[in-house]
Amino acid sequence: MTMQMLKDYLIEKGLTTVDDFKTRVSDKINEVMRLIFLQTKDRLDKKFGCFEVYGFDFMLDGDLSPVLLEINVNPAIFLDTTSQG
């Protein structure tokens, strides 16, 4: 489920609004990721001309507060997770 799909679903169910979702979910997720990179930036490999993709997995509790589950250093970069390949 994409973030947009989640937002649309929660709005449709009357659990949040566009502005409330941004404040309670999107902004908090971005802040968690910012703080993690701030705390670990000196321990990350720096290779000129290269970059690394990280996958952050979050879940939302009953109050729509994001909870960090894990960080993946080699995340799958596709949206369809239904096929086993």
Side-chain angles (χ1 to χ4, degrees):
M1 176 178 277
T2 66
M3 186 71 88
Q4 185 64 48
M5 291 167 59
L6 174 63
K7 180 171 74 172
D8 292 344
Y9 173 80
L10 293 173
I11 290 170
E12 179 183 312
K13 295 295 181 184
L15 299 172
T16 191
T17 64
V18 171
D19 291 335
D20 185 54
F21 185 86
K22 180 181 181 313
T23 301
R24 291 171 63 193
V25 180
S26 299
D27 289 351
K28 285 186 180 180
I29 287 174
N30 288 336
E31 180 66 3
V32 167
M33 292 189 301
R34 186 187 73 79
L35 290 172
I36 287 171
F37 281 119
L38 185 64
Q39 291 297 313
T40 60
K41 68 181 179 181
D42 295 331
R43 292 183 216 116
L44 299 173
D45 287 337
K46 298 172 188 98
K47 297 178 184 172
F48 181 75
C50 297
F51 65 92
E52 181 120 26
V53 176
Y54 294 92
F56 286 72
D57 293 342
F58 288 89
M59 70 175 189
L60 300 179
D61 67 13
D63 296 322
L64 299 183
S65 293
V67 177
L68 178 64
L69 298 176
E70 67 179 356
I71 302 170
N72 300 297
V73 293
N74 191 18
I77 305 179
F78 53 88
L79 295 178
D80 183 11
T81 59
T82 59
S83 63
Q84 297 294 324

